[in-house]
Amino acid sequence: MASPICRHLGTCALASDRAGFSPEFIRIMRTTWCRGAYAECARYHAAQIVGPQAVPGNLFPVERERLASL
């Protein structure tokens, strides 16, 4: 069975090759969050709350506590 894939994978600024992170970091992030536990990702939930274009650029997947301030 294929792993679930986040519907924001192609548009998430943090998972982009142009995000300014090392290729290894991006690969790990995509594997762990975008193609794995995306339902636990703070960015995924923020996109549901404020819309994909309004997700803070500096919000990391593990920062779910920040969702209360959106």
Side-chain angles (χ1 to χ4, degrees):
M1 184 166 116
S3 296
I5 296 175
C6 178
R7 66 180 172 181
H8 303 291
L9 175 62
T11 59
C12 180
L14 201 59
S16 168
D17 290 332
R18 297 178 307 277
F21 298 109
S22 72
E24 180 65 9
F25 180 81
I26 296 296
R27 185 190 66 74
I28 291 168
M29 180 146 32
R30 287 178 183 161
T31 301
T32 303
W33 295 101
C34 307
R35 294 187 177 105
Y38 76 89
E40 301 300 318
C41 177
R43 296 185 63 80
Y44 175 81
H45 287 281
Q48 307 310 327
I49 296 167
V50 298
Q53 289 74 25
V55 173
N58 63 354
L59 179 66
F60 280 85
V62 296
E63 297 182 302
R64 291 197 51 172
E65 72 279 357
R66 288 182 57 194
L67 295 175
S69 65
L70 296 179

PDB file of all heavy atoms in Angstrom, residues 4-38:
ATOM      1  N   PRO A   4       0.489   7.742   2.285  1.00  0.00           N
ATOM      2  CA  PRO A   4      -0.322   8.915   1.953  1.00  0.00           C
ATOM      3  C   PRO A   4       0.586  10.095   1.613  1.00  0.00           C
ATOM      4  O   PRO A   4       1.688  10.215   2.149  1.00  0.00           O
ATOM      5  CB  PRO A   4      -1.103   9.180   3.234  1.00  0.00           C
ATOM      6  CG  PRO A   4      -0.306   8.538   4.310  1.00  0.00           C
ATOM      7  CD  PRO A   4       0.395   7.369   3.678  1.00  0.00           C
ATOM      8  N   ILE A   5       0.123  10.929   0.720  1.00  0.00           N
ATOM      9  CA  ILE A   5       0.904  12.098   0.292  1.00  0.00           C
ATOM     10  C   ILE A   5       0.078  13.342   0.566  1.00  0.00           C
ATOM     11  O   ILE A   5      -1.100  13.411   0.232  1.00  0.00           O
ATOM     12  CB  ILE A   5       1.255  12.013  -1.203  1.00  0.00           C
ATOM     13  CG1 ILE A   5       2.156  10.799  -1.448  1.00  0.00           C
ATOM     14  CG2 ILE A   5       1.944  13.288  -1.667  1.00  0.00           C
ATOM     15  CD1 ILE A   5       2.473  10.558  -2.900  1.00  0.00           C
ATOM     16  N   CYS A   6       0.718  14.331   1.157  1.00  0.00           N
ATOM     17  CA  CYS A   6       0.047  15.594   1.456  1.00  0.00           C
ATOM     18  C   CYS A   6      -0.363  16.293   0.163  1.00  0.00           C
ATOM     19  O   CYS A   6       0.420  16.378  -0.787  1.00  0.00           O
ATOM     20  CB  CYS A   6       0.983  16.495   2.261  1.00  0.00           C
ATOM     21  SG  CYS A   6       0.266  18.111   2.643  1.00  0.00           S
ATOM     22  N   ARG A   7      -1.561  16.793   0.145  1.00  0.00           N
ATOM     23  CA  ARG A   7      -2.043  17.481  -1.059  1.00  0.00           C
ATOM     24  C   ARG A   7      -1.342  18.812  -1.289  1.00  0.00           C
ATOM     25  O   ARG A   7      -1.454  19.402  -2.360  1.00  0.00           O
ATOM     26  CB  ARG A   7      -3.544  17.673  -0.996  1.00  0.00           C
ATOM     27  CG  ARG A   7      -3.993  18.595   0.100  1.00  0.00           C
ATOM     28  CD  ARG A   7      -5.484  18.727   0.070  1.00  0.00           C
ATOM     29  NE  ARG A   7      -5.953  19.468   1.223  1.00  0.00           N
ATOM     30  CZ  ARG A   7      -7.201  19.715   1.461  1.00  0.00           C
ATOM     31  NH1 ARG A   7      -8.122  19.269   0.624  1.00  0.00           N
ATOM     32  NH2 ARG A   7      -7.558  20.384   2.507  1.00  0.00           N
ATOM     33  N   HIS A   8      -0.584  19.299  -0.302  1.00  0.00           N
ATOM     34  CA  HIS A   8       0.145  20.564  -0.439  1.00  0.00           C
ATOM     35  C   HIS A   8       1.604  20.360  -0.812  1.00  0.00           C
ATOM     36  O   HIS A   8       2.370  21.319  -0.856  1.00  0.00           O
ATOM     37  CB  HIS A   8       0.067  21.368   0.870  1.00  0.00           C
ATOM     38  CG  HIS A   8      -1.330  21.651   1.302  1.00  0.00           C
ATOM     39  ND1 HIS A   8      -2.158  22.507   0.615  1.00  0.00           N
ATOM     40  CD2 HIS A   8      -2.053  21.172   2.345  1.00  0.00           C
ATOM     41  CE1 HIS A   8      -3.334  22.553   1.229  1.00  0.00           C
ATOM     42  NE2 HIS A   8      -3.291  21.751   2.276  1.00  0.00           N
ATOM     43  N   LEU A   9       1.996  19.126  -1.099  1.00  0.00           N
ATOM     44  CA  LEU A   9       3.394  18.829  -1.398  1.00  0.00           C
ATOM     45  C   LEU A   9       3.965  19.735  -2.484  1.00  0.00           C
ATOM     46  O   LEU A   9       5.047  20.274  -2.341  1.00  0.00           O
ATOM     47  CB  LEU A   9       3.563  17.356  -1.796  1.00  0.00           C
ATOM     48  CG  LEU A   9       4.958  16.944  -2.253  1.00  0.00           C
ATOM     49  CD1 LEU A   9       5.974  17.144  -1.142  1.00  0.00           C
ATOM     50  CD2 LEU A   9       4.963  15.496  -2.704  1.00  0.00           C
ATOM     51  N   GLY A  10       3.239  19.930  -3.546  1.00  0.00           N
ATOM     52  CA  GLY A  10       3.743  20.740  -4.657  1.00  0.00           C
ATOM     53  C   GLY A  10       3.728  22.235  -4.413  1.00  0.00           C
ATOM     54  O   GLY A  10       4.379  22.991  -5.135  1.00  0.00           O
ATOM     55  N   THR A  11       3.029  22.689  -3.382  1.00  0.00           N
ATOM     56  CA  THR A  11       2.914  24.127  -3.142  1.00  0.00           C
ATOM     57  C   THR A  11       3.479  24.590  -1.805  1.00  0.00           C
ATOM     58  O   THR A  11       3.573  25.784  -1.565  1.00  0.00           O
ATOM     59  CB  THR A  11       1.438  24.564  -3.215  1.00  0.00           C
ATOM     60  OG1 THR A  11       0.684  23.833  -2.237  1.00  0.00           O
ATOM     61  CG2 THR A  11       0.863  24.319  -4.599  1.00  0.00           C
ATOM     62  N   CYS A  12       3.842  23.681  -0.931  1.00  0.00           N
ATOM     63  CA  CYS A  12       4.366  24.044   0.390  1.00  0.00           C
ATOM     64  C   CYS A  12       5.743  24.683   0.236  1.00  0.00           C
ATOM     65  O   CYS A  12       6.680  24.062  -0.277  1.00  0.00           O
ATOM     66  CB  CYS A  12       4.441  22.820   1.294  1.00  0.00           C
ATOM     67  SG  CYS A  12       5.075  23.191   2.943  1.00  0.00           S
ATOM     68  N   ALA A  13       5.870  25.903   0.682  1.00  0.00           N
ATOM     69  CA  ALA A  13       7.128  26.640   0.545  1.00  0.00           C
ATOM     70  C   ALA A  13       8.263  25.985   1.313  1.00  0.00           C
ATOM     71  O   ALA A  13       9.422  26.034   0.886  1.00  0.00           O
ATOM     72  CB  ALA A  13       6.947  28.080   1.017  1.00  0.00           C
ATOM     73  N   LEU A  14       7.975  25.377   2.433  1.00  0.00           N
ATOM     74  CA  LEU A  14       9.020  24.771   3.252  1.00  0.00           C
ATOM     75  C   LEU A  14       9.567  23.489   2.620  1.00  0.00           C
ATOM     76  O   LEU A  14      10.724  23.150   2.811  1.00  0.00           O
ATOM     77  CB  LEU A  14       8.480  24.465   4.647  1.00  0.00           C
ATOM     78  CG  LEU A  14       9.511  24.307   5.744  1.00  0.00           C
ATOM     79  CD1 LEU A  14      10.354  25.570   5.893  1.00  0.00           C
ATOM     80  CD2 LEU A  14       8.841  23.992   7.062  1.00  0.00           C
ATOM     81  N   ALA A  15       8.776  22.803   1.845  1.00  0.00           N
ATOM     82  CA  ALA A  15       9.214  21.562   1.193  1.00  0.00           C
ATOM     83  C   ALA A  15       9.764  21.805  -0.204  1.00  0.00           C
ATOM     84  O   ALA A  15      10.160  20.870  -0.886  1.00  0.00           O
ATOM     85  CB  ALA A  15       8.060  20.571   1.122  1.00  0.00           C
ATOM     86  N   SER A  16       9.853  23.048  -0.597  1.00  0.00           N
ATOM     87  CA  SER A  16      10.329  23.410  -1.931  1.00  0.00           C
ATOM     88  C   SER A  16      11.852  23.319  -2.022  1.00  0.00           C
ATOM     89  O   SER A  16      12.566  23.584  -1.053  1.00  0.00           O
ATOM     90  CB  SER A  16       9.898  24.842  -2.246  1.00  0.00           C
ATOM     91  OG  SER A  16      10.557  25.323  -3.385  1.00  0.00           O
ATOM     92  N   ASP A  17      12.338  22.971  -3.191  1.00  0.00           N
ATOM     93  CA  ASP A  17      13.792  22.977  -3.432  1.00  0.00           C
ATOM     94  C   ASP A  17      14.362  24.382  -3.276  1.00  0.00           C
ATOM     95  O   ASP A  17      15.546  24.547  -3.038  1.00  0.00           O
ATOM     96  CB  ASP A  17      14.095  22.454  -4.835  1.00  0.00           C
ATOM     97  CG  ASP A  17      13.823  20.966  -4.974  1.00  0.00           C
ATOM     98  OD1 ASP A  17      13.912  20.239  -3.962  1.00  0.00           O
ATOM     99  OD2 ASP A  17      13.532  20.531  -6.093  1.00  0.00           O
ATOM    100  N   ARG A  18      13.520  25.397  -3.394  1.00  0.00           N
ATOM    101  CA  ARG A  18      13.965  26.791  -3.299  1.00  0.00           C
ATOM    102  C   ARG A  18      13.849  27.356  -1.879  1.00  0.00           C
ATOM    103  O   ARG A  18      14.038  28.543  -1.672  1.00  0.00           O
ATOM    104  CB  ARG A  18      13.151  27.658  -4.260  1.00  0.00           C
ATOM    105  CG  ARG A  18      13.340  27.272  -5.720  1.00  0.00           C
ATOM    106  CD  ARG A  18      12.500  28.102  -6.672  1.00  0.00           C
ATOM    107  NE  ARG A  18      11.075  28.139  -6.351  1.00  0.00           N
ATOM    108  CZ  ARG A  18      10.179  27.213  -6.691  1.00  0.00           C
ATOM    109  NH1 ARG A  18      10.562  26.156  -7.356  1.00  0.00           N
ATOM    110  NH2 ARG A  18       8.920  27.349  -6.383  1.00  0.00           N
ATOM    111  N   ALA A  19      13.568  26.499  -0.896  1.00  0.00           N
ATOM    112  CA  ALA A  19      13.364  26.956   0.479  1.00  0.00           C
ATOM    113  C   ALA A  19      14.657  27.402   1.147  1.00  0.00           C
ATOM    114  O   ALA A  19      14.618  28.057   2.189  1.00  0.00           O
ATOM    115  CB  ALA A  19      12.698  25.860   1.305  1.00  0.00           C
ATOM    116  N   GLY A  20      15.800  27.070   0.574  1.00  0.00           N
ATOM    117  CA  GLY A  20      17.070  27.487   1.137  1.00  0.00           C
ATOM    118  C   GLY A  20      17.696  26.465   2.074  1.00  0.00           C
ATOM    119  O   GLY A  20      18.709  26.744   2.698  1.00  0.00           O
ATOM    120  N   PHE A  21      17.087  25.297   2.186  1.00  0.00           N
ATOM    121  CA  PHE A  21      17.632  24.237   3.030  1.00  0.00           C
ATOM    122  C   PHE A  21      18.457  23.287   2.174  1.00  0.00           C
ATOM    123  O   PHE A  21      18.342  23.266   0.953  1.00  0.00           O
ATOM    124  CB  PHE A  21      16.512  23.461   3.727  1.00  0.00           C
ATOM    125  CG  PHE A  21      15.696  24.307   4.650  1.00  0.00           C
ATOM    126  CD1 PHE A  21      14.397  24.659   4.328  1.00  0.00           C
ATOM    127  CD2 PHE A  21      16.228  24.764   5.848  1.00  0.00           C
ATOM    128  CE1 PHE A  21      13.639  25.445   5.180  1.00  0.00           C
ATOM    129  CE2 PHE A  21      15.478  25.550   6.707  1.00  0.00           C
ATOM    130  CZ  PHE A  21      14.181  25.895   6.368  1.00  0.00           C
ATOM    131  N   SER A  22      19.271  22.487   2.830  1.00  0.00           N
ATOM    132  CA  SER A  22      20.097  21.522   2.104  1.00  0.00           C
ATOM    133  C   SER A  22      19.205  20.485   1.418  1.00  0.00           C
ATOM    134  O   SER A  22      18.103  20.199   1.906  1.00  0.00           O
ATOM    135  CB  SER A  22      21.064  20.816   3.057  1.00  0.00           C
ATOM    136  OG  SER A  22      20.362  19.909   3.884  1.00  0.00           O
ATOM    137  N   PRO A  23      19.684  19.936   0.323  1.00  0.00           N
ATOM    138  CA  PRO A  23      18.898  18.894  -0.351  1.00  0.00           C
ATOM    139  C   PRO A  23      18.583  17.720   0.578  1.00  0.00           C
ATOM    140  O   PRO A  23      17.499  17.144   0.502  1.00  0.00           O
ATOM    141  CB  PRO A  23      19.796  18.451  -1.504  1.00  0.00           C
ATOM    142  CG  PRO A  23      20.666  19.643  -1.770  1.00  0.00           C
ATOM    143  CD  PRO A  23      20.891  20.281  -0.430  1.00  0.00           C
ATOM    144  N   GLU A  24      19.505  17.383   1.470  1.00  0.00           N
ATOM    145  CA  GLU A  24      19.269  16.283   2.407  1.00  0.00           C
ATOM    146  C   GLU A  24      18.133  16.620   3.374  1.00  0.00           C
ATOM    147  O   GLU A  24      17.284  15.776   3.663  1.00  0.00           O
ATOM    148  CB  GLU A  24      20.555  15.959   3.180  1.00  0.00           C
ATOM    149  CG  GLU A  24      20.403  14.825   4.163  1.00  0.00           C
ATOM    150  CD  GLU A  24      20.120  13.472   3.524  1.00  0.00           C
ATOM    151  OE1 GLU A  24      20.191  13.315   2.293  1.00  0.00           O
ATOM    152  OE2 GLU A  24      19.802  12.547   4.290  1.00  0.00           O
ATOM    153  N   PHE A  25      18.108  17.849   3.881  1.00  0.00           N
ATOM    154  CA  PHE A  25      17.036  18.277   4.782  1.00  0.00           C
ATOM    155  C   PHE A  25      15.685  18.221   4.071  1.00  0.00           C
ATOM    156  O   PHE A  25      14.704  17.721   4.621  1.00  0.00           O
ATOM    157  CB  PHE A  25      17.306  19.691   5.302  1.00  0.00           C
ATOM    158  CG  PHE A  25      16.229  20.187   6.232  1.00  0.00           C
ATOM    159  CD1 PHE A  25      16.212  19.813   7.566  1.00  0.00           C
ATOM    160  CD2 PHE A  25      15.243  21.041   5.760  1.00  0.00           C
ATOM    161  CE1 PHE A  25      15.216  20.273   8.417  1.00  0.00           C
ATOM    162  CE2 PHE A  25      14.241  21.502   6.605  1.00  0.00           C
ATOM    163  CZ  PHE A  25      14.230  21.115   7.936  1.00  0.00           C
ATOM    164  N   ILE A  26      15.632  18.712   2.853  1.00  0.00           N
ATOM    165  CA  ILE A  26      14.386  18.693   2.076  1.00  0.00           C
ATOM    166  C   ILE A  26      13.938  17.255   1.840  1.00  0.00           C
ATOM    167  O   ILE A  26      12.755  16.932   1.977  1.00  0.00           O
ATOM    168  CB  ILE A  26      14.554  19.451   0.744  1.00  0.00           C
ATOM    169  CG1 ILE A  26      14.840  20.930   0.991  1.00  0.00           C
ATOM    170  CG2 ILE A  26      13.325  19.276  -0.143  1.00  0.00           C
ATOM    171  CD1 ILE A  26      13.729  21.681   1.675  1.00  0.00           C
ATOM    172  N   ARG A  27      14.871  16.376   1.513  1.00  0.00           N
ATOM    173  CA  ARG A  27      14.532  14.964   1.280  1.00  0.00           C
ATOM    174  C   ARG A  27      13.940  14.346   2.545  1.00  0.00           C
ATOM    175  O   ARG A  27      12.910  13.672   2.490  1.00  0.00           O
ATOM    176  CB  ARG A  27      15.767  14.172   0.843  1.00  0.00           C
ATOM    177  CG  ARG A  27      15.438  12.729   0.476  1.00  0.00           C
ATOM    178  CD  ARG A  27      16.682  11.878   0.286  1.00  0.00           C
ATOM    179  NE  ARG A  27      17.436  11.700   1.520  1.00  0.00           N
ATOM    180  CZ  ARG A  27      17.082  10.905   2.537  1.00  0.00           C
ATOM    181  NH1 ARG A  27      15.968  10.213   2.475  1.00  0.00           N
ATOM    182  NH2 ARG A  27      17.834  10.790   3.611  1.00  0.00           N
ATOM    183  N   ILE A  28      14.569  14.595   3.686  1.00  0.00           N
ATOM    184  CA  ILE A  28      14.077  14.051   4.955  1.00  0.00           C
ATOM    185  C   ILE A  28      12.693  14.623   5.270  1.00  0.00           C
ATOM    186  O   ILE A  28      11.789  13.897   5.701  1.00  0.00           O
ATOM    187  CB  ILE A  28      15.075  14.321   6.092  1.00  0.00           C
ATOM    188  CG1 ILE A  28      16.336  13.478   5.879  1.00  0.00           C
ATOM    189  CG2 ILE A  28      14.452  14.033   7.452  1.00  0.00           C
ATOM    190  CD1 ILE A  28      17.496  13.860   6.766  1.00  0.00           C
ATOM    191  N   MET A  29      12.523  15.920   5.075  1.00  0.00           N
ATOM    192  CA  MET A  29      11.230  16.544   5.362  1.00  0.00           C
ATOM    193  C   MET A  29      10.134  15.961   4.475  1.00  0.00           C
ATOM    194  O   MET A  29       9.047  15.630   4.957  1.00  0.00           O
ATOM    195  CB  MET A  29      11.284  18.051   5.174  1.00  0.00           C
ATOM    196  CG  MET A  29       9.956  18.670   5.477  1.00  0.00           C
ATOM    197  SD  MET A  29       9.916  20.274   6.223  1.00  0.00           S
ATOM    198  CE  MET A  29      11.304  21.103   5.636  1.00  0.00           C
ATOM    199  N   ARG A  30      10.415  15.827   3.200  1.00  0.00           N
ATOM    200  CA  ARG A  30       9.411  15.267   2.291  1.00  0.00           C
ATOM    201  C   ARG A  30       9.073  13.826   2.640  1.00  0.00           C
ATOM    202  O   ARG A  30       7.906  13.430   2.585  1.00  0.00           O
ATOM    203  CB  ARG A  30       9.909  15.347   0.852  1.00  0.00           C
ATOM    204  CG  ARG A  30       9.886  16.739   0.289  1.00  0.00           C
ATOM    205  CD  ARG A  30      10.425  16.737  -1.107  1.00  0.00           C
ATOM    206  NE  ARG A  30      10.479  18.081  -1.661  1.00  0.00           N
ATOM    207  CZ  ARG A  30      11.226  18.424  -2.688  1.00  0.00           C
ATOM    208  NH1 ARG A  30      11.989  17.525  -3.281  1.00  0.00           N
ATOM    209  NH2 ARG A  30      11.219  19.666  -3.125  1.00  0.00           N
ATOM    210  N   THR A  31      10.086  13.040   2.998  1.00  0.00           N
ATOM    211  CA  THR A  31       9.867  11.641   3.352  1.00  0.00           C
ATOM    212  C   THR A  31       9.081  11.518   4.653  1.00  0.00           C
ATOM    213  O   THR A  31       8.112  10.751   4.749  1.00  0.00           O
ATOM    214  CB  THR A  31      11.207  10.896   3.479  1.00  0.00           C
ATOM    215  OG1 THR A  31      11.899  10.985   2.232  1.00  0.00           O
ATOM    216  CG2 THR A  31      10.997   9.436   3.839  1.00  0.00           C
ATOM    217  N   THR A  32       9.482  12.278   5.652  1.00  0.00           N
ATOM    218  CA  THR A  32       8.864  12.187   6.975  1.00  0.00           C
ATOM    219  C   THR A  32       7.479  12.806   7.016  1.00  0.00           C
ATOM    220  O   THR A  32       6.536  12.205   7.532  1.00  0.00           O
ATOM    221  CB  THR A  32       9.753  12.874   8.021  1.00  0.00           C
ATOM    222  OG1 THR A  32      11.039  12.261   7.992  1.00  0.00           O
ATOM    223  CG2 THR A  32       9.161  12.770   9.411  1.00  0.00           C
ATOM    224  N   TRP A  33       7.350  14.000   6.482  1.00  0.00           N
ATOM    225  CA  TRP A  33       6.095  14.751   6.615  1.00  0.00           C
ATOM    226  C   TRP A  33       5.227  14.694   5.362  1.00  0.00           C
ATOM    227  O   TRP A  33       4.069  14.295   5.436  1.00  0.00           O
ATOM    228  CB  TRP A  33       6.402  16.211   6.965  1.00  0.00           C
ATOM    229  CG  TRP A  33       7.033  16.327   8.307  1.00  0.00           C
ATOM    230  CD1 TRP A  33       8.370  16.506   8.585  1.00  0.00           C
ATOM    231  CD2 TRP A  33       6.383  16.228   9.568  1.00  0.00           C
ATOM    232  NE1 TRP A  33       8.570  16.518   9.926  1.00  0.00           N
ATOM    233  CE2 TRP A  33       7.372  16.359  10.562  1.00  0.00           C
ATOM    234  CE3 TRP A  33       5.077  16.032   9.959  1.00  0.00           C
ATOM    235  CZ2 TRP A  33       7.072  16.314  11.917  1.00  0.00           C
ATOM    236  CZ3 TRP A  33       4.785  15.996  11.305  1.00  0.00           C
ATOM    237  CH2 TRP A  33       5.774  16.135  12.271  1.00  0.00           C
ATOM    238  N   CYS A  34       5.744  15.077   4.236  1.00  0.00           N
ATOM    239  CA  CYS A  34       4.927  15.207   3.019  1.00  0.00           C
ATOM    240  C   CYS A  34       4.427  13.869   2.489  1.00  0.00           C
ATOM    241  O   CYS A  34       3.331  13.786   1.951  1.00  0.00           O
ATOM    242  CB  CYS A  34       5.725  15.910   1.932  1.00  0.00           C
ATOM    243  SG  CYS A  34       6.431  17.497   2.447  1.00  0.00           S
ATOM    244  N   ARG A  35       5.252  12.853   2.641  1.00  0.00           N
ATOM    245  CA  ARG A  35       4.876  11.519   2.153  1.00  0.00           C
ATOM    246  C   ARG A  35       4.710  10.541   3.301  1.00  0.00           C
ATOM    247  O   ARG A  35       4.872   9.348   3.119  1.00  0.00           O
ATOM    248  CB  ARG A  35       5.940  11.015   1.186  1.00  0.00           C
ATOM    249  CG  ARG A  35       6.000  11.822  -0.078  1.00  0.00           C
ATOM    250  CD  ARG A  35       6.957  11.200  -1.088  1.00  0.00           C
ATOM    251  NE  ARG A  35       6.953  11.954  -2.309  1.00  0.00           N
ATOM    252  CZ  ARG A  35       7.924  12.774  -2.684  1.00  0.00           C
ATOM    253  NH1 ARG A  35       8.991  12.938  -1.925  1.00  0.00           N
ATOM    254  NH2 ARG A  35       7.833  13.440  -3.817  1.00  0.00           N
ATOM    255  N   GLY A  36       4.385  11.056   4.464  1.00  0.00           N
ATOM    256  CA  GLY A  36       4.241  10.185   5.627  1.00  0.00           C
ATOM    257  C   GLY A  36       3.216  10.736   6.595  1.00  0.00           C
ATOM    258  O   GLY A  36       2.019  10.607   6.380  1.00  0.00           O
ATOM    259  N   ALA A  37       3.699  11.409   7.623  1.00  0.00           N
ATOM    260  CA  ALA A  37       2.846  11.871   8.721  1.00  0.00           C
ATOM    261  C   ALA A  37       2.262  13.263   8.470  1.00  0.00           C
ATOM    262  O   ALA A  37       2.173  14.075   9.384  1.00  0.00           O
ATOM    263  CB  ALA A  37       3.649  11.858  10.017  1.00  0.00           C
ATOM    264  N   TYR A  38       1.847  13.535   7.258  1.00  0.00           N
ATOM    265  CA  TYR A  38       1.354  14.883   6.962  1.00  0.00           C
ATOM    266  C   TYR A  38       0.150  15.278   7.805  1.00  0.00           C
ATOM    267  O   TYR A  38      -0.055  16.454   8.098  1.00  0.00           O
ATOM    268  CB  TYR A  38       1.052  15.062   5.466  1.00  0.00           C
ATOM    269  CG  TYR A  38      -0.228  14.414   5.014  1.00  0.00           C
ATOM    270  CD1 TYR A  38      -1.428  15.100   5.069  1.00  0.00           C
ATOM    271  CD2 TYR A  38      -0.238  13.115   4.533  1.00  0.00           C
ATOM    272  CE1 TYR A  38      -2.606  14.515   4.652  1.00  0.00           C
ATOM    273  CE2 TYR A  38      -1.406  12.523   4.116  1.00  0.00           C
ATOM    274  CZ  TYR A  38      -2.583  13.226   4.176  1.00  0.00           C
ATOM    275  OH  TYR A  38      -3.743  12.641   3.769  1.00  0.00           O
TER     276      TYR A  38
END
